[in-house]
Structure formats: C-alpha cells, structure tokens
Amino acid sequence: MLISTVLIALLPLLSFAQDGGIDGPTSSADAAGYSCDPSKCQLPNCNCASTSPPGGLDPSEVPQFIVFTADDAVQSYTLDAVNQFLAQRTNPNGCPIKMTYFTSLNYTNYTLVTDWFVAGNEIADHTMTHVGTPSSDEIDGNLIALNALAGIPLSSIQGFRAPFLNYSVDTLKLLANAQFTYDSSSAASIPVTDNGTDAFWPYTLDNGMANNCLSVAGTCKGEPKLPGFWEIPMYAFFDERGVAGPHLMDPWLDAANGASAVNDSATLAYMQSTFTDHYNGNRQPIGLYTHPIHLSTTYPGVNPSKSTIGMINAFLDWAQQQQNVWIVSNEQLLDWVRHPVPISQLGDLASLKCTTPQIDSSEKICNGVPVNEAGLLSHCAFSDFPFYTCYGCPVIEPSPGNPNPAQDTSTGQAIRFRVPANCSTPFWDPIGGKCLCNQGSCAFSDNSRPIGPNGANLTGGDTGSAFTSSAASTSYVPFNSAALPMLSAGAWSGITLGLFGALAGAFGVFSRL
C-alpha cells in the first residue's frame, strides 16, 4: 500500500521531469550560422541539414514517415503499453510496425530486450542509469551490457538519445568516437509552415549542428564537426499558438492551447494539424516520442485515461488512412534517407520489409523467440531488481564501472556463451555455444507484400478504433508478460528508490524543459 501511495505521489513530478518538453524555439537561423555545400556533402554518408527531401525527390514521391520511439526501462508493462498502439497495425506493404526503444538498464528485464529485438525492433542506447550529460562509462557501459546480457550485436546498436534530452558537445563527440551512427536528442522547434523552420530531414554533422543552437552551448556555427555522424531531430507538434505552443515528448500529457487542463480532443486536433502541414509540405518526418510508463494499464499506481489511449489510436488510424504513410523506427527512417527512393520503389528497400527467422518451433534454444526459449531463461534474483536473461546471471548487477561482470557459477550453473559477431541472435545457442547456421545461411522468410503501382496498397492497416471522451482501451496482444512472474516487494522498493533518484537527477535539467 505504501509503495503504491509513493508511486502515485511521484507520478506528476516524474511526468514533468521526464517529459522532454520545450516551451519555444530552441534555435534560429542566425544562431545556427549553418552552411553546407550539397555538391561536396552527398549521400549515403553525408547530408546537409535541409527542409527539402533527400536525393532531390519531389515531395509527392516521398513517403510520410511517422517515427515511433520509447524511452527508459524495458519491462512487460512498457512493451504492453507500446503494443496497445502498434500490435494490430501494419504498414502499406502488410508488415507489422517496428519502433525504436531507447533503453536504459535500471529496472530493465534483459530477456524482454532480446525478444523485442528479435521481433524486429531497434534497440538503442539511453545510458545505463538514466543520467543527463552522460560520461563515456554510462554510454559505452550500456552498449556492453546490452550485448552481454541481452544478446544485441554491437553493430545493431546504432542510436542514442540523452536522458531528459540533456546532452552537450562532449556527448556528441563521445558518440561519434564510439562509432554510433546517430543521435536523436535535439528538437525541431519551429513549425514547417514558418519561415526559418528547423524541421530538417536527418543530416550529418560534417558541418556542425543546426538544431538546439539556443539551448546547447558550443553547438552550431559549424560545430561540432563530426563527419558521417547523423542527427535525427525530434519533430514537435504545435497547437493553435504555433511556434509558442510546441509539444515534443508525450504530447498527450500537455494541456493544449495554453489551457489549464489536458483535453484529448484538442490534442488530437493539433496532432492532425501538424501532421497535415508535414504531409502537404516537404514531408519531413513526424514523431511519437513516448515514455511508455505514462500509458501503462498494468504498472502499479498508473491509471492512464482510456480517452487518451483511444485518442492516440484515433490519430494513428486517421494518419494510416492517408496514402503513403509509414510508421517506422529511426533505423528504418535513416536507411531510407541514406538511400532515398521514390514511393514506387519502396518495395525494394530491405529495411522496410518484414522478415522472420526460420527456426523450428521444436528447437530448445534461448534465442529471443518465446516458443523456443521457454524454460531456458536464467533468473537473476537481485534484491533491488530481479531480471531474466538467456546469457547467464552475473555475480553482481551491471554498473557503469563494471557493465559485464563475471557469470555466477556458485550453485553449479554452467557458463553461457555470449552472442558472437558472426551469428544472428535468433540462431545463436548460448547454452551450447553454437550457431544453428553459418554466417551466410541463416534463413529468413520475407512476408512483405508488393507495393503496387497506380495507388495500389498505399495505405496501412489500423485497429479501426473510434475516439470518444469515454473510448475503451484498444485490445492488444500482451508481449510475453504471462511468461514472467510478478515483481517482488523488494523489486518495488528498489524501483521507488530509483524514482526518487530520477527526481533528484531531474533538478539539474529543469531549465531546459
């Protein structure tokens, strides 16, 4: 009872601390001082910050991308929160929706990270302990732990988002030096319909940053120069106040149009209006950037409005009724930007296809496929937060100073083998230490349907939900939550302490929110 009371008391503050909100422009053309020669900066490894589509394509030949991301810990309740919006949807080629999960490791269940990745989603870095302006140990430690305990190949962890969107020039340099492909922590804070909009298509930092110039010291005016390193701006929604009414992360938590209370109908209206401005213009991406905890129907103390859940689904339903709208991960978006093709050729882009690893369901292998790994997970019963993994429990919990502790064999457990660089995660047997196929023979089935000419198959599938002020929650398929036990009382105590820690860490970044 005490835990629930504390959680409920903290939620309003946590929403504010983790919202990643902005209250006005974070850049201007003068502050940016940005210059780039497109004849010298060319795809696929260099791109100028521009409001025009990449590759010289006409906007009518460009898909409208909606990027869907989630931040923070991965648990069954966070995946279920995401699934209530994505599980029933498909893109125009019939493929299930994929998204990007910026994963921090405090209170994360590693085996669910594996399962979510093997299901086709992007796993990205959000530091180990959710700290703003992170050290290299926080960034690199997250890479090491995700690789060691979740089986995510290092080459697959391409992106980073700073907790609280609080980054610095040094953060960007650390990421480039660690061979990340992109950062996505900056805001596009001026509407696409305004002169001087900063809603740029993803671009490389060969010529410095062009976003957040008024917010992050030492950026812009040609700095920092990080050749080949990409920035994927986070594209804000705008209410009736225009540039004075931006909404970035979790916009459904904000009151629209300067009002004193949240109004789901007003939120839906400005989300549709902003989408339409993008769609009828240069089709810069739009984003739904979420903290899933705020929308969880199963997390203790969280009671999201059914109206809000219905409103978000109604927005996605409406958007998917438009032609050439794709809901994608950052990884998928960036692949298209680097290799831009017109709508008529989207069926040839491998990253937008749906491929499933061909693995016999009778195989007993701890590989991120629930039917194969049942009964094979290691339970790491740490007092502050227990977790599961396919890759053997560590003797101590991972930390920035020691992200890959030795495996615990104190009760006779055999060492489990970490995923190697030359085997795909779903085909790797960490118990037997062998790959079910060699590097060139791992079989995947392609389930995508053709994107036809002349307007055929150019809209996606949706849930068919309707939005009203009392809309019921859209039904969805829980993601593996039944396979794992409920958290212990000790775990909830640890989470409560972690929430207090999150609040303390937030005070240092309130000036940016």
Side-chain angles (χ1 to χ4, degrees):
M1 184 66 175
L2 175 61
I3 296 297
S4 296
T5 301
V6 172
L7 286 170
I8 293 169
L10 285 174
L11 280 172
L13 294 174
L14 284 172
S15 297
F16 178 71
Q18 299 196 38
D19 180 29
I22 54 176
D23 56 14
T26 63
S27 190
S28 69
D30 180 63
Y34 182 83
S35 178
C36 180
D37 184 350
S39 68
K40 297 179 179 177
C41 180
Q42 297 186 346
L43 297 170
N45 297 318
C46 187
N47 196 39
C48 295
S50 174
T51 58
S52 297
L57 292 174
D58 186 270
S60 64
E61 286 295 303
V62 172
Q64 178 63 61
F65 292 112
I66 300 176
V67 179
F68 197 105
T69 73
D71 286 15
D72 301 341
V74 176
Q75 275 293 332
S76 60
Y77 61 81
T78 63
L79 298 184
D80 286 349
V82 169
N83 259 338
Q84 65 190 334
F85 306 112
L86 300 186
Q88 313 301 330
R89 299 184 184 278
T90 60
N91 274 319
N93 62 351
C95 291
I97 305 302
K98 308 304 178 190
M99 51 80 70
T100 299
Y101 210 117
F102 289 98
T103 309
S104 56
L105 298 185
N106 276 6
Y107 316 118
T108 277
N109 195 338
Y110 287 88
T111 193
L112 290 179
V113 179
T114 312
D115 294 357
W116 201 239
F117 171 75
V118 170
N121 299 285
E122 180 186 8
I123 301 299
D125 194 324
H126 198 49
T127 76
M128 290 196 75
T129 64
H130 202 271
V131 294
T133 55
S135 66
S136 59
D137 284 351
E138 282 281 352
I139 295 171
D140 296 344
N142 208 44
L143 287 175
I144 293 167
L146 284 170
N147 174 254
L149 290 171
I152 313 300
L154 290 172
S155 61
S156 295
I157 308 173
Q158 302 180 39
F160 177 83
R161 175 168 294 157
F164 314 108
L165 309 185
N166 189 14
Y167 69 94
S168 67
V169 169
D170 286 342
T171 306
L172 298 173
K173 291 179 178 177
L174 286 172
L175 295 171
N177 289 337
Q179 298 184 323
F180 281 84
T181 300
Y182 73 86
D183 169 72
S184 186
S185 306
S186 70
S189 59
I190 303 173
V192 294
T193 51
D194 286 13
N195 291 330
T197 180
D198 57 353
F200 303 117
W201 282 87
Y203 59 95
T204 59
L205 301 193
D206 293 62
N207 298 279
M209 281 282 285
N211 294 84
N212 280 24
C213 305
L214 299 174
S215 302
V216 181
T219 61
C220 302
K221 297 187 182 297
E223 296 298 332
K225 290 182 173 62
L226 302 171
F229 180 72
W230 291 80
E231 182 64 26
I232 302 179
M234 299 172 66
Y235 304 92
F237 290 94
F238 298 89
D239 63 28
E240 293 175 355
R241 297 170 294 169
V243 71
H247 304 273
L248 194 59
M249 296 201 76
D250 309 302
W252 35 83
L253 300 180
D254 301 342
N257 308 318
S260 59
V262 172
N263 181 313
D264 290 323
S265 294
T267 301
L268 177 61
Y270 77 64
M271 289 175 67
Q272 290 177 329
S273 176
T274 302
F275 175 95
T276 300
D277 289 339
H278 283 238
Y279 189 83
N280 290 340
N282 282 324
R283 297 204 173 173
Q284 294 100 316
I286 198 73
L288 294 185
Y289 312 114
T290 74
H291 293 98
I293 185 176
H294 297 308
L295 298 166
S296 171
T297 59
T298 54
Y299 188 84
V302 178
N303 295 295
S305 164
K306 291 182 179 179
S307 171
T308 299
I309 292 171
M311 181 275 295
I312 299 168
N313 268 314
F315 169 76
L316 291 171
D317 289 349
W318 170 84
Q320 288 199 288
Q321 291 167 9
Q322 322 304 317
Q323 287 196 344
N324 305 317
V325 173
W326 294 69
I327 305 174
V328 297
S329 66
N330 271 334
E331 181 180 40
Q332 290 173 308
L333 169 65
L334 191 55
D335 186 48
W336 183 87
V337 170
R338 296 181 71 177
H339 310 96
V341 295
I343 291 166
S344 60
Q345 298 176 29
L346 280 181
D348 298 329
L349 196 64
S351 60
L352 294 181
K353 294 183 177 182
C354 39
T355 56
T356 305
Q358 294 181 0
I359 299 173
D360 189 333
S361 61
S362 67
E363 287 276 1
K364 289 297 182 181
I365 174 175
C366 208
N367 63 344
V369 180
V371 68
N372 295 122
E373 66 187 13
L376 300 177
L377 300 173
S378 295
H379 180 216
C380 309
F382 295 107
S383 58
D384 59 343
F385 192 80
F387 59 82
Y388 289 80
T389 176
C390 279
Y391 298 93
C393 292
V395 292
I396 57 174
E397 293 178 83
S399 66
N402 187 7
N404 186 15
Q407 287 190 51
D408 184 2
T409 58
S410 60
T411 58
Q413 306 96 315
I415 290 287
R416 295 196 176 189
F417 298 89
R418 304 292 164 70
V419 65
N422 63 349
C423 187
S424 180
T425 303
F427 296 96
W428 176 247
D429 177 3
I431 298 173
K434 60 183 179 181
C435 194
L436 297 190
C437 60
N438 61 46
Q439 191 170 10
S441 67
C442 298
F444 288 79
S445 57
D446 182 2
N447 302 313
S448 49
R449 71 187 184 199
I451 303 297
N454 303 319
N457 296 336
L458 295 183
T459 57
D462 59 50
T463 63
S465 61
F467 167 60
T468 66
S469 60
S470 60
S473 176
T474 302
S475 62
Y476 61 95
V477 179
F479 189 84
N480 206 26
S481 56
L484 302 175
M486 294 296 290
L487 301 182
S488 66
W492 283 116
S493 299
I495 287 177
T496 305
L497 292 173
L499 295 180
F500 279 116
L503 280 175
F507 290 138
V509 298
F510 277 175
S511 62
R512 296 192 65 247
L513 300 180

